Amino acid sequence: MKRISIVVPVYNEEENIAHFAAAVEEVMGRLPYDYELLFIDDGSSDRSREILRMLGERDGRIGSIFLARNYGHQLALTCGIDHADGDAVITMDGDMQHPPELLPQLLKKWEEGFDIVQTVRLTTEGVSVFKRMTSTYYYRLLNLLTDVEIQEGGSDFRLMDRKAVLALRRYREHARFIRGIVCSLGFRRTTVDFVAQARYAGSSKFSLRRMISFALDGILAYSVQPLRAGLYVGLMSALLAVVLFLHVLFETLRGETVPGWSTIVVCSLFFGGMQMMMLGVCGEYIARILQEVKDRPLYLIACDNRPQAAEKEAHDG
Ligand code: UDP
Ligand code: MG
């Protein structure tokens, strides 16, 4: 029987975990697959860990790995993908925004021979206009700036065949934007549309600050266009300087002087600002280079509660 790994990062989801696990069990129980439900606890401080331990004791198909602290959604996902041993790996959120009812559809596409089945979020129920608009325009900008075509409305709810999983595991960058990496992998891909429900319980763990940092990761990890912006601005200002010089020359030949302290102030402020901005852009890239060359571990595991881990320990001991 083929084995499916379902990887779910959770962070302070005490009210959602049991409900989610039951919903998955309900759907997967009807399908002819062996499966593991692997939760990655991303440093929760509520009762999530207690609940995960309890679920694991009751059901041998449910395992969990506890990270040493909060590493963020993308790294928690990475840990899950690194440890999932199924023939196919499905990643999804634990708050019911990624409906488990979609699982049979993803598996069907996989059986048809697709290696990556990406879901596309058509709309999200109960989400502000602000979040929807920023998301749409963000993906447009991203596609404008980068070479890889990144799915608009793409989410981290997807199925990957084992060979795509092994390929993805070879990407060890710290600032990660998994959707971008998956889009650049290749393989046989297809998409499945869905409407994301509102969260079952609790609130979103993504603050505006985290969203901005995630958005920056997406752009800076996939594009060097921002660095090139300095070149364009420089060329433009040089052109402007030539035009201004011709104007001054013309007026001087006519015997007039060009009054212009305000022009000087505006120009120096504008170009001073531009220079600082480009310095900031360079700084962002340099900070990322520093982070990557340090090559620290992506995440640390505090406790591995998978049945496989217990067996291995017994064997080793
Ligand atoms: N999550 C995580 N670590 C974090 C933040 C979130 O593992 O630092 C998990 C969270 O528990 C959920 C999933 O990632 O299962 C998606 O997070 P959330 O629902 O808050 O994001 P949104 O759906 O609002 O984009
Ligand atoms: Mg959510």
Side-chain angles (χ1 to χ4, degrees):
M1 207 153 44
K2 287 180 188 163
R3 180 171 165 85
I4 311 297
S5 297
I6 301 173
V7 167
V8 188
V10 287
Y11 176 50
N12 292 344
E13 303 280 10
E14 57 182 2
E15 295 149 303
N16 288 318
I17 292 171
H19 178 82
F20 173 81
V24 169
E25 143 94 275
E26 155 88 28
V27 173
M28 291 304 289
R30 277 184 266 136
L31 300 173
Y33 294 106
D34 174 27
Y35 75 93
E36 69 167 336
L37 180 53
L38 175 58
F39 287 98
I40 308 299
D41 182 88
D42 190 13
S44 294
S45 53
D46 63 355
R47 288 181 52 243
S48 295
R49 295 195 164 187
E50 213 178 296
I51 296 168
L52 288 175
R53 273 219 181 87
M54 209 180 64
L55 285 176
E57 276 160 23
R58 270 211 307 245
D59 185 341
R61 291 168 301 188
I62 300 181
S64 54
I65 293 178
F66 299 166
L67 295 184
R69 63 168 168 86
N70 180 248
Y71 284 92
H73 178 238
Q74 297 287 296
L75 288 176
L77 256 183
T78 305
C79 172
I81 292 166
D82 288 346
H83 291 84
D85 58 7
D87 299 303
V89 174
I90 298 173
T91 52
M92 61 198 293
D93 288 354
D95 57 3
M96 298 298 283
Q97 286 197 293
H98 295 163
E101 302 86 73
L102 221 62
L103 293 175
Q105 231 171 306
L106 299 188
L107 289 163
K108 190 163 156 277
K109 293 276 185 193
W110 177 52
E111 294 289 358
E112 283 169 18
F114 290 102
D115 298 317
I116 297 175
V117 187
Q118 173 70 54
T119 66
V120 178
R121 178 164 30 95
L122 295 179
T123 52
T124 307
E125 284 174 12
V127 134
S128 67
V129 183
F130 173 73
K131 198 164 174 179
R132 200 171 304 166
M133 293 270 287
T134 45
S135 165
T136 311
Y137 286 110
Y138 174 66
Y139 279 101
R140 298 239 170 103
L141 176 72
L142 201 57
N143 281 325
L144 202 73
L145 290 178
T146 58
D147 300 332
V148 279
E149 183 70 20
I150 294 171
Q151 187 77 50
E152 205 173 299
S155 64
D156 280 315
F157 180 18
R158 73 173 71 77
L159 178 147
M160 275 183 290
D161 182 78
R162 181 141 193 93
K163 56 177 175 283
V165 170
L166 291 179
L168 180 59
R169 282 189 194 160
R170 294 173 57 191
Y171 288 69
R172 300 318 285 174
E173 64 226 58
H174 286 248
R176 28 183 66 221
F177 190 67
I178 295 177
R179 301 162 208 192
I181 303 178
V182 170
C183 284
S184 68
L185 286 181
F187 294 104
R188 284 197 66 199
R189 283 168 50 88
T190 184
T191 57
V192 169
D193 295 340
F194 78 106
V195 174
Q197 308 292 311
R199 257 175 170 273
Y200 178 69
S203 58
S204 174
K205 307 295 182 289
F206 275 85
S207 58
L208 187 64
R209 219 180 92 211
R210 271 199 172 191
M211 294 249 298
I212 291 173
S213 130
F214 184 50
L216 271 180
D217 276 348
I219 293 176
L220 300 185
Y222 282 92
S223 170
V224 289
Q225 292 293 346
L227 284 174
R228 237 167 251 165
L231 191 71
Y232 299 135
V233 174
L235 277 175
M236 252 166 47
S237 67
L239 209 73
L240 203 72
V242 170
V243 173
L244 221 66
F245 172 71
L246 289 178
H247 168 68
V248 172
L249 192 69
F250 180 70
E251 293 293 320
T252 314
L253 289 179
R254 275 186 12 171
E256 309 264 341
T257 40
V258 183
W261 74 269
S262 51
T263 325
I264 295 173
V265 171
V266 169
C267 282
S268 65
L269 276 182
F270 177 75
F271 293 110
M274 278 296 164
Q275 278 161 10
M276 290 313 281
M277 206 183 83
M278 281 318 298
L279 212 60
V281 171
C282 292
E284 282 290 329
Y285 281 95
I286 293 173
R288 273 147 224 269
I289 296 171
L290 178 67
Q291 192 188 27
E292 299 298 342
V293 295
K294 274 197 271 185
D295 199 23
R296 292 189 170 168
L298 290 178
Y299 51 80
L300 297 175
I301 292 174
C303 183
D304 190 341
N305 302 304
R306 293 173 303 156
Q308 301 96 302
E311 269 164 39
K312 187 165 173 285
E313 216 166 85
H315 186 78
D316 291 349

